[in-house]
DNA sequence: CGGGTCAGGGTTTGTGCTAC
DNA sequence: GTAGCACAAACCCTGACCCG
């Protein structure tokens, strides 16, 4: 205490209380937020601040005063996101975060506030996936605020709140794929077959050009995908991942269908689009889904999404005994994790095998053939 | 210390509604 | 049938973490 202090200043105010001040790393003079009864308390406070600065732990006490709405908008703006993600985040912000937190300062967003917000969201009809997504976005933003030294800790502390368990999707059988294909307009028949038996994604199928289909070598080159934006505009982009760029072999059973489709419905020219609407437009999800659901209703196949056809493709491929690596390359997955989603398919297959073995056992014992086995996948 | 697993987070698909 | 828009749900890549 004796001698000249090296860090900060303490002075006695006319009121008799003590005020501490120091120069922050940013060069600004920073008075303590409150005054102290004794000089000793003021000194102790300064010592704390000095420690923070030495550790690089210091943060601007004004930094967290930025309104969350403004901070969040900048967060999205500064990030390199694809147009679709940018739109999605903007939508989550606008509809779910902004109304509750927009005017609140970043530093004031506390765990209890977030818990209350989440409970309210879940009970007010917003779907669990969307709540989880909005929560995840909020946490990502608050995480950046921590990195920016605006706040010390991320207030998003609810464990597991950003993930939702999604139930397993159904898988269409070969027969169902054909039934659905027949129930669709002829121009979309082959689209369904290719989704089911090649396992291509919607965006990939829509992005196909004539030159991508090599009838001679019975292969489809997937080189781009079409993403649809809210604005109705489309973005042509490389597939979801580098592994998405791939060549997929065509089962010869549907080769005639593809050949026929190209002759009848595809846009002319090597750069012509393979799948176009009745008036020449690139198909849109909303309209196609309408047709799809009609086909589902017509065939009595309920609860089947178009994307589920992709599972059929993978399940079929898996049932041939293809290795995980082979499946990954066919489906355009870059990690085994994604491919392992189809583990259930193998389990089903294994059960079928077990059933078949069981049939053989009975046959061997009774000396007569057993009835028909379950539906083959 | 390398393979398996999990959570975070970016991207795509699903669907309803209105308008032309 | 096509287009625009908005919200919701699902997919799946990536890096962190765990564990033997």
């Amino acid at each position: 205490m004796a001698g000249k202090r090296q860090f900060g200043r303490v002075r006695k105010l006319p009121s008799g209380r003590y005020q501490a001040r120091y120069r922050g790393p940013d060069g600004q003079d920073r008075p303590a937020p409150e005054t102290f009864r004794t000089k000793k308390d003021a000194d102790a406070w300064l010592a704390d601040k000095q420690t923070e600065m030495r550790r690089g732990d210091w943060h601007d006490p004004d930094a967290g005063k930025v309104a969350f709405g403004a901070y969040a908008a900048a967060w999205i703006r500064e990030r390199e996101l694809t147009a679709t993600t940018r739109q999605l985040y903007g939508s989550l912000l606008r509809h779910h975060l902004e109304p509750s937190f927009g005017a609140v300062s970043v530093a004031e967003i506390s765990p209890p506030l977030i818990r209350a917000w989440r409970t309210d969201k879940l009970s007010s009809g917003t779907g669990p996936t969307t709540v989880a997504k909005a929560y995840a976005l909020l946490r990502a933003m608050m995480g950046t605020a921590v990195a920016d030294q605006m706040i010390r800790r991320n207030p998003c502390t609810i464990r597991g709140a950003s993930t939702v368990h999604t139930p397993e999707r159904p898988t269409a059988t070969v027969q169902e794929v054909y039934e659905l294909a027949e129930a669709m307009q002829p121009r979309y028949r082959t689209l369904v077959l290719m989704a089911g038996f090649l396992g291509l994604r919607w965006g990939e199928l829509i992005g196909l050009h004539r030159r991508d289909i090599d009838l001679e070598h019975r292969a489809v080159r997937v080189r781009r995908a079409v993403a649809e934006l809210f604005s109705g505009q489309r973005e042509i982009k490389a597939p979801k991942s580098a592994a998405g760029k791939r060549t997929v072999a065509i089962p010869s059973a549907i080769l005639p269908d593809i050949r026929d489709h190209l002759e009848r419905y595809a846009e002319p020219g090597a750069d012509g689009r393979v799948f176009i609407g009745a008036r020449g437009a690139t198909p849109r999800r909303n309209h196609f889904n309408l047709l799809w659901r009609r086909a589902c209703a017509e065939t009595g196949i309920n609860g089947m999404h178009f994307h589920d056809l992709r599972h059929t493709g993978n399940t079929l491929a898996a049932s041939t005994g293809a290795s995980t690596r082979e499946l990954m390359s066919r489906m355009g997955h870059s990690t085994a994790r994604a491919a392992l989603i189809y583990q259930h398919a193998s389990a089903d297959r294994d059960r079928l095998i077990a059933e078949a073995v069981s049939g053989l056992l009975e046959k061997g014992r009774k000396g007569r053939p057993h009835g028909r086995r379950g539906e083959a996948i």
Side-chain angles (χ1 to χ4, degrees):
Chain A
M1 181 108 9
K4 275 275 176 226
R5 137 178 318 281
Q6 303 292 333
F7 179 81
R9 289 108 62 213
V10 174
R11 65 169 175 162
K12 189 172 187 179
L13 296 174
S15 63
R17 293 180 63 86
Y18 291 87
Q19 183 187 45
R21 288 181 296 180
Y22 69 99
R23 194 170 297 280
D26 54 355
Q28 295 279 311
D29 204 36
R30 303 281 180 180
E34 65 279 324
T35 57
F36 303 93
R37 194 178 56 80
T38 65
K39 185 167 188 301
K40 202 173 162 189
D41 291 339
D43 283 332
W45 184 84
L46 275 177
D48 284 349
K49 284 293 157 191
Q50 188 176 20
T51 306
E52 282 177 16
M53 277 178 64
R54 203 164 37 217
R55 286 187 188 154
D57 222 13
W58 184 88
H59 76 291
D60 183 348
D62 295 329
K65 289 181 181 165
V66 179
F68 173 78
Y71 185 73
W75 188 93
I76 293 177
R77 209 180 316 119
E78 289 164 3
R79 219 146 270 248
E80 283 187 16
L81 303 167
T82 64
T84 44
T85 302
R86 187 176 296 273
Q87 287 191 336
L88 172 68
Y89 284 4
S91 162
L92 288 172
L93 179 62
R94 220 169 34 252
H95 296 104
H96 302 295
L97 298 178
E98 188 97 308
S100 300
F101 301 119
V104 182
S105 73
V106 171
E108 276 172 338
I109 297 180
S110 61
L113 204 58
I114 293 169
R115 277 199 302 276
W117 164 80
R118 181 167 171 273
T119 306
D120 182 56
K121 277 286 164 192
L122 286 171
S123 62
S124 69
T126 308
T129 308
T130 301
V131 174
K133 220 50 194 148
Y135 177 85
L137 180 62
L138 177 62
R139 183 179 44 202
M141 289 171 164
M142 297 308 276
T144 306
V146 172
D148 286 350
Q149 307 212 336
M150 295 170 68
I151 51 176
R152 291 195 183 281
R153 266 183 294 280
N154 194 325
C156 296
T157 53
I158 310 171
R159 199 169 171 280
S162 57
T163 53
V164 280
H165 170 72
T166 57
E168 212 165 77
R169 296 295 311 160
T171 305
T173 63
V174 170
Q175 194 190 341
E176 284 172 336
V177 173
Y178 271 109
E179 281 176 20
L180 287 163
E182 299 304 333
M184 292 294 286
Q185 283 75 344
R187 66 172 54 254
Y188 294 130
R189 182 175 174 277
T190 303
L191 178 68
V192 173
L193 294 180
M194 287 178 75
F197 302 142
L198 274 73
L200 300 192
R201 301 176 176 98
W202 165 260
E204 292 169 342
L205 287 162
I206 294 310
L208 286 179
H209 291 186
R210 266 179 190 272
R211 66 166 80 242
D212 299 325
I213 297 186
D214 186 343
L215 289 173
E216 196 184 335
H217 297 98
R218 289 184 288 169
V220 173
R221 275 186 302 278
V222 181
R223 298 186 294 189
R224 72 187 76 77
V226 176
E228 217 174 292
L229 304 180
F230 289 171
S231 60
Q233 291 164 333
R234 292 193 186 77
E235 197 180 50
I236 310 295
K237 55 204 303 186
K240 200 159 181 172
S241 66
K245 268 188 185 173
R246 64 197 190 279
T247 300
V248 181
I250 303 170
S252 39
I254 64 165
L255 202 60
D257 300 297
I258 296 177
R259 194 191 307 274
D260 188 57
H261 173 88
L262 289 174
E263 278 173 21
R264 285 171 194 256
Y265 303 110
E267 198 175 29
D271 279 330
R273 292 161 295 164
V274 174
F275 297 105
I276 52 175
R279 295 201 329 223
T282 299
R284 308 178 81 89
R285 288 173 297 149
N286 58 359
H287 179 238
F288 182 82
N289 265 306
L290 193 69
L291 304 178
W292 173 256
R293 286 200 296 279
R294 275 183 203 155
C296 287
E298 198 179 306
T299 54
I301 299 167
N302 295 318
M304 191 72 66
H305 292 170
F306 179 79
H307 193 74
D308 296 335
L309 293 179
R310 179 168 154 80
H311 296 229
T312 300
N314 203 14
T315 305
L316 286 172
S319 69
T320 64
S323 70
T324 303
R325 165 60 61 186
E326 288 164 338
L327 286 179
M328 280 164 59
S329 110
R330 186 170 173 86
M331 301 299 283
H333 287 147
S334 65
T335 63
R337 174 150 181 78
L340 284 178
I341 290 169
Y342 300 93
Q343 222 171 16
H344 70 91
S346 315
D348 287 350
R349 180 69 188 160
D350 196 34
R351 200 155 43 73
L352 278 181
I353 291 171
E355 294 283 320
V357 169
S358 163
L360 289 174
L361 292 180
E362 286 181 32
K363 184 179 165 186
R365 201 166 57 184
K366 295 177 186 170
R368 58 184 170 84
H370 190 272
R372 168 181 167 277
R373 292 266 61 81
E375 195 91 348
I377 39 177

